[in-house]
Amino acid sequence: MITIALAGNPNCGKTTLFNALTGATAHVGNWPGVTVDKREGVCKKGEQPVNIVDLPGIYSLSPYTPEEVIARNFILDSRPDCVINIVDSTNLERNLYLTTQLMEMDVPVVVALNMTDELDRRGDKIDAKLLEERLGLPVLRISALSGYGIKDLINRTIATAKRPRKGISVLAGTTISDAVSQVAERMKDDVSSPVFHAIKLIEGDSVERDVHKRSAAFADKLLAGVNDPTFGSDIEALVANARYDYITKNYSPALTRKSGDGVKLTKSDKIDRILTNKWAGIPIFAAILFAIFHLTFSEDLLFLGAIIAPFGEWCATITEEFPVLSIFFSGGLNSPGVMLFNALDLLTSTIGEGIATGLESAGAAEWAIGLVGDGILGGLFAVLSFLPQILLLFFFFSILEDSGYMARVAFILDRIFRRLGLSGRAFMPMIMGFGCSIPAMVNTRTLADEKERTATIRVIPFFSCGAKLPILTAMAGGMIGAFGLGEVADLIVTLMYLLGMVTAFIAIIAMRSTTMRGEITPFIMELPDYRAPGMKSTMLHLWDKAKHFIQKAFTIILASTIVIWFFSHFTWNWQFVPDENMDTSILASLGMLVQPIFTPLGFGAQLGPIGWVFAVGAVTGLIAKENVIATFGTLASAVVTGFTADEALEGVDAVEALISATDISGAACVAFIMFNMLTIPCFAAVAAAKAEVPKGKFKWTLLFWIASSYIAAAAIYTVGEFIWPVAIWAVVIAVATAGIIWFNKNNEKELKTA
Ligand code: GDP
Ligand code: MG
């Protein structure tokens, strides 16, 4: 059976075509050694059954990404009988860039012009006959989506597969064309696709040069005589430019755009003029981020509180009368996120009270009421109560992503990222980190440079994930309550997110200029047209997230809270400890043991008698980040003595009680948030990092997380707590340093003059 490979740019419709061709026979696996999807199947739609292999989506055949290397090695080594080059005909020129490289290989190629339905809709036309003549390859119009032209495509491909083809190059007429033909001539007896290999050697392709050392030396000798007036010795740029020139001159005439002039601004282009504007782009992005956090966390929506204030008394009485109304306003108008939060809170506390009262009237033992009320419900509800806000945040992020805006953000940030030593590609995994670190770490596979990849994986947890959100929200709410700060929850949360991002960038700069130095590969990225996000797929996505979160709450987090409850309510010799004596519990003694570690961060030994809860929270967070707040929920009702189980404290109230009871300072609270945000992420993310970073780098990655969280938290605490001494010392050190430099300079001068 003959084998046909599908090659094309990302998003050109390869997978759609693959599915249309192979139907139910498809088999998805991995390419050996890497975790890029490999899809294989049999197509029975043509005159004879054929094997189909879906190659990864690529823009070129350079060796910069695993996808590119896989695609070219498959064609060169596995020798498919024919390659179908799928071309997105709405983006003809850019897609043909890959075609000019496939042409160089000794393999039959058929060009499938896909998305012709979209092309027709736009009123643009492609002259397939003319293109076929100019390319010297069969060209067919198809629509993978509707199935149009697929049967013809497969039959034409079968016919073409029978005729061997020699590689040809579009670089004739450039300053290097001579070198290309000489190197190809020299290699033609040893390898197949000599033209392809010759061009790669001349371009300085690192992988090729390692394999064909002697031909590479030969190429270097020829190139020594070449000095292009425009590109000098930058042959890679010269080749890329020559390809585009050739495409514009020879292939573009096959395309007629409806407007005739070829540069019509689409609606997307017009929007992009504003959103990707050099100056406005980043402020707009920051404003959008704040708006999202405002809609999710603010208790003073649109800052209407000031307008509502005159009716404050009326609001207070009416909410007293109808507690349900407190869902909608507490001070100011609540944001949708807070409304959902309050509604769920009302529900869970009613359930919790009902169960506790039921147990009490049934005459259950004190420890049983405590276990159910604090241990199980307290921890569980503390975590679940954040689900609405997490989902809302995901909802906004997935709209940004599906609409095509996130791709623009990557584009605007590319300029800044380059300064930091990263390519714009690194942005996507970072943004994904706001959802969950695990898929984000996997997504770094799009980064070509291994060191860039390792550095990115390390900072991904600094982009605070959904599971860390409860820590942020509950701590922010608790701080507001305990220190009387006013309605600034959205501001605190935004600032903490930003602080995490800033730390990530500082760490990136530090790594990329020391242990993780490396090249930044060229960044080619397409900006897809803006689209209205599909509500159905967004909802499916959200449901998936909710399911995952709830599953986690009822398994790992439930188990941990029960264990924590037992440890906090029993002594080493297995005596039950009532709430007010919790200091004598197993957990307390363990907590006090590790507590001193956190003293420099502000939540260690300096806290009041039950201050060890923060140390315990930080440690349990290593299993799953939701545990931090679940732990607080389980322990808090014990903090204020005399509390009965039916008044169990959760989430924000729990943190507020703990802050007041331990006398922890504001700076230490922020340090606590930062520590949890930056330190070793949850078990699952650690496993993902272990799988993704190169061998030997994993233990350093763990150390990196411990060190950066500890240093950042200690710095925040020290600066926040001792702002005056720090400032004075900073001035003293600055003056002393300046003095030493000045002294040295003077000395040097004296030495020179002497
Ligand atoms: P891949 O990245 O190359 O595998 O591309 P996909 O097969 O995932 O397709 C990318 C997008 O293009 C999907 O939203 C498809 O539904 C859409 N698509 C694929 N083929 C066609 C087509 O012929 N016409 C139109 N209008 N859309 C298509
Ligand atoms: Mg695909």
Side-chain angles (χ1 to χ4, degrees):
M1 198 164 21
I2 64 170
T3 298
I4 292 169
L6 305 183
N9 286 189
N11 285 317
C12 67
K14 253 176 332 83
T15 304
T16 312
L17 178 64
F18 176 82
N19 291 338
L21 288 174
T22 57
T25 68
H27 164 83
V28 184
N30 274 349
W31 293 93
V34 283
T35 28
V36 177
D37 271 356
K38 178 179 190 180
R39 255 176 276 258
E40 273 185 293
V42 177
C43 170
K44 297 181 181 144
K45 299 215 154 134
E47 284 149 7
Q48 62 185 78
V50 292
N51 233 335
I52 310 268
V53 179
D54 186 16
L55 297 178
I58 46 172
Y59 294 106
S60 86
L61 294 173
S62 51
Y64 291 130
T65 66
E67 284 83 2
E68 289 164 347
V69 175
I70 289 169
R72 76 180 196 189
N73 286 353
F74 183 82
I75 301 173
L76 291 173
D77 303 338
S78 303
R79 313 284 301 267
D81 299 281
C82 190
V83 174
I84 297 182
N85 175 207
I86 300 149
V87 164
D88 172 359
S89 54
T90 63
N91 263 312
L92 185 69
E93 284 105 336
R94 197 197 55 216
N95 276 250
L96 287 175
Y97 185 72
L98 179 66
T99 313
T100 61
Q101 298 173 65
L102 291 170
M103 269 158 68
E104 291 160 1
M105 295 174 153
D106 291 353
V107 65
V109 177
V110 172
V111 174
L113 291 175
N114 191 28
M115 316 240 181
T116 49
D117 54 320
E118 176 65 22
L119 194 77
D120 294 343
R121 207 182 53 73
R122 293 190 189 179
D124 298 349
K125 290 205 166 44
I126 293 182
D127 184 344
K129 271 258 138 25
L130 180 67
L131 196 58
E132 183 162 325
E133 250 166 51
R134 302 254 164 121
L135 282 168
L137 304 170
V139 175
L140 285 103
R141 296 165 52 93
I142 65 161
S143 165
L145 204 57
S146 71
Y148 161 78
I150 288 188
K151 198 160 177 225
D152 284 346
L153 173 68
I154 202 71
N155 284 334
R156 185 85 182 266
T157 307
I158 292 169
T160 310
K162 299 192 170 117
R163 272 171 264 145
R165 191 185 68 89
K166 284 278 166 224
I168 47 170
S169 152
V170 298
L171 301 176
T174 61
T175 42
I176 56 159
S177 62
D178 239 16
V180 170
S181 38
Q182 284 191 53
V183 178
E185 182 62 30
R186 185 190 144 99
M187 296 180 85
K188 80 172 194 286
D189 297 329
D190 305 332
V191 297
S192 72
S193 300
V195 176
F196 174 81
H197 289 290
I199 293 170
K200 287 290 150 208
L201 285 180
I202 286 170
E203 271 184 312
D205 180 313
S206 52
V207 176
E208 286 286 319
R209 293 180 68 91
D210 276 351
V211 181
H212 307 286
K213 289 209 173 70
R214 273 198 281 154
S215 300
F218 178 66
D220 286 345
K221 229 186 284 159
L222 294 174
L223 286 177
V226 174
N227 198 359
D228 192 87
T230 323
F231 295 97
S233 55
D234 190 352
I235 306 292
E236 207 180 349
L238 184 155
V239 170
N241 187 61
R243 290 187 200 281
Y244 278 118
D245 277 354
Y246 194 87
I247 290 168
T248 330
K249 208 161 133 228
N250 297 284
Y251 306 148
S252 295
L255 173 70
T256 329
R257 286 199 172 85
K258 192 182 175 195
S259 60
D261 57 9
V263 274
K264 201 179 92 193
L265 280 186
T266 61
K267 213 197 253 157
S268 282
D269 294 333
K270 282 183 200 148
I271 302 175
D272 273 341
R273 279 205 173 166
I274 302 164
L275 292 189
T276 62
N277 180 280
K278 202 168 161 194
W279 303 110
I282 288 172
I284 291 176
F285 176 52
I288 290 177
L289 268 190
F290 181 76
I292 287 177
F293 288 122
H294 185 69
L295 283 173
T296 313
F297 299 111
S298 176
E299 297 195 344
D300 186 6
L301 192 65
L302 304 176
F303 311 105
L304 291 175
I307 301 171
I308 296 179
F311 310 98
E313 208 166 302
W314 176 77
C315 285
T317 45
I318 197 164
T319 47
E320 200 141 306
E321 195 129 340
F322 307 99
V324 178
L325 288 180
S326 63
I327 290 175
F328 302 102
F329 37 78
S330 37
L333 190 62
N334 285 334
S335 61
V338 174
M339 285 184 196
L340 289 170
F341 176 89
N342 287 346
L344 186 66
D345 193 44
L346 204 64
L347 184 72
T348 54
S349 54
T350 315
I351 295 174
E353 267 169 46
I355 292 178
T357 328
L359 282 174
E360 250 165 72
S361 58
E366 190 196 349
W367 70 265
I369 300 176
L371 170 63
V372 174
D374 305 341
I376 299 179
L377 298 181
L380 204 57
F381 288 164
V383 171
L384 287 180
S385 62
F386 292 99
L387 186 59
Q389 283 169 312
I390 291 175
L391 289 184
L392 198 62
L393 208 58
F394 276 135
F395 173 74
F396 288 128
F397 277 126
S398 73
I399 287 184
L400 289 191
E401 169 128 39
D402 291 348
S403 63
Y405 178 66
M406 280 304 187
R408 270 72 185 181
V409 177
F411 173 76
I412 339 178
L413 290 180
D414 188 48
R415 221 161 13 113
I416 302 175
F417 269 44
R418 265 167 203 285
R419 300 242 169 95
L420 305 180
L422 289 180
S423 65
R425 279 169 191 262
F427 174 71
M428 214 47 230
M430 288 178 177
I431 279 289
M432 287 175 77
F434 285 134
C436 174
S437 297
I438 298 162
M441 286 175 178
V442 175
N443 188 272
T444 56
R445 288 176 191 158
T446 54
L447 299 176
D449 179 41
E450 197 168 76
K451 290 187 166 163
E452 176 181 15
R453 202 171 155 222
T454 306
T456 308
I457 288 175
R458 285 177 180 175
V459 301
I460 279 175
F462 298 0
F463 294 78
S464 189
C465 76
K468 291 175 187 168
L469 195 56
I471 307 179
L472 284 181
T473 322
M475 288 297 292
M479 283 163 70
I480 288 168
F483 304 127
L485 295 179
E487 307 301 354
V488 288
D490 52 346
L491 190 68
I492 296 184
V493 174
T494 312
L495 286 179
M496 291 312 298
Y497 267 85
L498 288 177
L499 202 54
M501 289 165 77
V502 169
T503 316
F505 293 133
I506 294 174
I508 282 278
I509 295 173
M511 278 189 279
R512 290 293 275 172
S513 50
T514 54
T515 57
M516 293 286 141
R517 232 182 254 270
E519 261 180 67
I520 312 173
T521 51
F523 176 54
I524 315 175
M525 179 171 168
E526 70 185 301
L527 297 183
D529 283 351
Y530 286 103
R531 250 171 306 165
M535 275 304 135
K536 199 171 146 212
S537 71
T538 310
M539 287 303 150
L540 273 178
H541 210 72
L542 282 189
W543 169 236
D544 235 33
K545 279 264 185 281
K547 218 167 53 186
H548 180 74
F549 191 86
I550 293 171
Q551 259 168 12
K552 211 158 129 199
F554 277 95
T555 51
I556 188 163
I557 292 161
L558 183 61
S560 328
T561 51
I562 293 176
V563 169
I564 287 167
W565 188 86
F566 269 105
F567 278 12
S568 60
H569 284 80
F570 283 91
T571 58
W572 285 102
N573 42 23
W574 224 230
Q575 292 283 312
F576 178 68
V577 184
D579 282 356
E580 49 291 359
N581 292 342
M582 205 180 262
D583 292 12
T584 58
S585 66
I586 299 176
L587 193 69
S589 61
L590 291 177
M592 287 176 208
L593 194 68
V594 292
Q595 208 181 5
I597 302 174
F598 300 109
T599 305
L601 313 189
F603 48 96
Q606 66 270 70
L607 300 185
I610 48 117
W612 50 267
V613 293
F614 285 97
V616 170
V619 174
T620 54
L622 298 181
I623 301 166
K625 291 296 159 187
E626 293 94 331
N627 264 339
V628 176
I629 293 308
T631 305
F632 288 175
T634 303
L635 299 181
S637 36
V639 165
V640 190
T641 50
F643 259 67
T644 51
D646 59 346
E647 282 167 284
L649 295 167
E650 309 153 2
V652 173
D653 299 330
V655 176
E656 185 179 332
L658 287 176
I659 293 177
S660 307
T662 55
D663 267 334
I664 188 174
S665 69
C669 285
V670 177
F672 180 76
I673 302 177
M674 273 309 266
F675 178 80
N676 282 290
M677 209 153 128
L678 305 183
T679 200
I680 301 180
C682 67
F683 263 18
V686 169
K690 181 158 198 248
E692 298 298 327
V693 298
K695 268 212 174 74
K697 290 282 185 316
F698 175 64
K699 57 177 189 290
W700 294 110
T701 304
L702 287 181
L703 192 69
F704 168 82
W705 283 328
I706 296 174
S708 27
S709 56
Y710 201 86
I711 294 170
I716 287 171
Y717 175 65
T718 315
V719 172
E721 196 72 3
F722 307 106
I723 183 75
W724 285 113
V726 167
I728 292 167
W729 276 109
V731 171
V732 170
I733 292 171
V735 169
T737 319
I740 292 170
I741 293 172
W742 179 80
F743 178 80
N744 279 349
K745 271 217 172 120
N746 266 11
N747 253 9
E748 252 171 51
K749 256 189 225 155
E750 268 165 39
L751 283 176
K752 266 185 203 149
T753 45

